[in-house]
Amino acid sequence: MADWYAREIIEPGKQPLMVLFIAFVVTFLFIRFSVRMIRAQVKWWPGNVTPGGVHMHHVVFGTVFMVLAGIGGFTPIGGDRPWAEIFAGLFGCGTALVLDEFALILHLRDVYWSEQGRMSVNAVFLAFAVIGLLLTGVAPLGVSDVDDTSLAGYAFAIIPNTVFVVLTLIKGKIWTGLIGILVPIFVLVGAIRLARPMSPWARWRYKTGSKKEIRSLRREERGHARWTRWRNRLQDAVAGKPSA
């Protein structure tokens, strides 16, 4: 195990990213455990931080951690050990705290335990997947697969993949598009398949009552509804079920 870690993580210079990943996961699991304990009104668990009666959301602490880590990473010691790992761990903690309240930032109100709050968990799951893929050595937009290191070679790989990513996102497939930045096969499939009914592509290209619109609606009702149920069950098990 030590040999594998040295070969796959330390030698390629991915140890700070590994520390960031671990800090991100541990912090998210801890903060979700904490808020669930507070929600259940467990007496022996510390409550919310409310200095002067003001409820301090953990996104505030996350922002401070990210700022400190970001500034520290650009100092002369930012690339040296162990500071690179320390700043990476601090940034991972901050990222988890910020993304766990992403829905609050987006809506500018406390929707933590509402259905809209699921967006925060989606953001965390997506970040988990992206960081995990980066740890495996995957590069964005197929750059890692380029054999010709010339400018033309990179352009040939990046431009088509970028077009597929944008097309997939316009078709309303956010998860597929964002994961496809690192795994191009996802966006290739997403760009070919039908758009989701409420996406910009469907509004621009599918006429009301057309066969494509009807097929898109039926697919949404069958496939996406089923996926949403399974995703919500996983989210409820990890992060807690939203209030009615």
Side-chain angles (χ1 to χ4, degrees):
M1 189 67 181
D3 292 339
W4 172 87
Y5 188 84
R7 182 178 65 255
E8 300 295 332
I9 302 299
I10 296 179
E11 289 179 8
K14 292 190 288 187
Q15 181 159 279
L17 185 61
M18 174 63 83
V19 173
L20 187 153
F21 181 70
I22 295 172
F24 177 84
V25 173
V26 171
T27 302
F28 171 69
L29 293 176
F30 170 78
I31 199 62
R32 275 289 165 170
F33 174 78
S34 177
V35 295
R36 293 179 74 172
M37 297 293 280
I38 294 171
R39 188 188 192 193
Q41 298 181 347
V42 177
K43 294 182 179 179
W44 54 268
W45 187 258
N48 293 311
V49 179
T50 55
V54 178
H55 179 192
M56 297 285 288
H57 289 280
H58 46 266
V59 65
V60 176
F61 300 98
T63 303
V64 173
F65 290 166
M66 292 178 72
V67 170
L68 291 176
I71 294 174
F74 286 105
T75 61
I77 62 172
D80 300 334
R81 299 181 64 185
W83 291 105
E85 287 80 1
I86 292 173
F87 291 139
L90 191 61
F91 194 86
C93 292
T95 303
L97 295 175
V98 169
L99 290 184
D100 188 57
E101 292 195 327
F102 176 76
L104 282 72
I105 302 171
L106 181 65
H107 293 281
L108 291 180
R109 65 178 188 275
D110 194 347
V111 294
Y112 196 87
W113 289 118
S114 71
E115 283 294 324
Q116 294 151 318
R118 289 187 185 277
M119 190 174 295
S120 296
V121 188
N122 287 337
V124 170
F125 283 4
L126 180 61
F128 175 87
V130 169
I131 299 172
L133 286 170
L134 289 172
L135 271 173
T136 64
V138 176
L141 300 174
V143 171
S144 58
D145 299 327
V146 177
D147 295 326
D148 182 5
T149 57
S150 66
L151 181 61
Y154 282 111
F156 184 76
I158 292 173
I159 293 175
N161 287 328
T162 302
V163 172
F164 286 137
V165 167
V166 173
L167 183 57
T168 302
L169 293 174
I170 291 175
K171 285 191 170 185
K173 303 171 184 182
I174 306 301
W175 274 75
T176 305
L178 294 177
I179 294 296
I181 294 175
L182 298 175
V183 187
I185 189 64
F186 277 78
V187 289
L188 179 60
V189 174
I192 294 173
R193 298 189 69 192
L194 282 171
R196 296 184 63 184
M198 299 304 294
S199 66
W201 183 271
R203 293 198 301 269
W204 298 337
R205 306 283 297 180
Y206 301 166
K207 294 181 180 179
T208 304
S210 66
K211 291 182 179 180
K212 284 189 175 182
E213 185 191 45
I214 294 171
R215 285 173 55 205
S216 177
L217 288 168
R218 288 176 178 172
R219 178 174 292 178
E220 184 79 6
E221 291 173 1
R222 293 195 309 268
H224 191 70
R226 190 183 303 115
W227 155 248
T228 300
R229 285 195 299 271
W230 282 104
R231 184 194 63 195
N232 288 351
R233 288 175 184 174
L234 176 61
Q235 288 183 354
D236 294 346
V238 174
K241 189 175 182 179
S243 304

